[in-house]
Amino acid sequence: MLTIIQSNMERVLNNATIVLGLFFFWLLATQAVIYCQGWELYQGSAGRMEGAKLKPIIGETQSEAQHSQDT
């Protein structure tokens, strides 16, 4: 039994290396996609936030909106 395991060990290790390599490559690819999406979100929302002005809620006057923001 040990002789059979020993003779197949090289093939088992090669297959395990290929499977683990593909798994880690897939894991790296998913992390890169998430990073890119987060970077795009950060870049896009950061530019919009600089020029954003607060608009009063419909039905409120400017002074009421300012008062509700202060409290």
Side-chain angles (χ1 to χ4, degrees):
M1 185 173 165
L2 290 177
T3 307
I4 295 170
I5 293 173
Q6 186 177 8
S7 64
N8 290 330
M9 188 58 66
E10 184 177 348
R11 187 169 41 125
V12 169
L13 288 176
N14 284 338
N15 290 340
T17 302
I18 291 170
V19 168
L20 285 174
L22 290 173
F23 173 73
F24 285 124
F25 179 74
W26 172 78
L27 196 62
L28 176 67
T30 58
Q31 293 299 310
V33 168
I34 292 171
Y35 174 77
C36 289
Q37 288 177 347
W39 185 253
E40 287 178 10
L41 179 65
Y42 173 73
Q43 292 296 325
S45 62
R48 286 189 300 248
M49 293 293 281
E50 291 173 356
K53 293 184 179 180
L54 296 176
K55 296 179 183 177
I57 300 172
I58 297 174
E60 288 186 352
T61 63
Q62 184 106 16
S63 61
E64 289 173 344
Q66 184 65 32
H67 177 69
S68 66
Q69 289 174 359
D70 291 339
T71 57

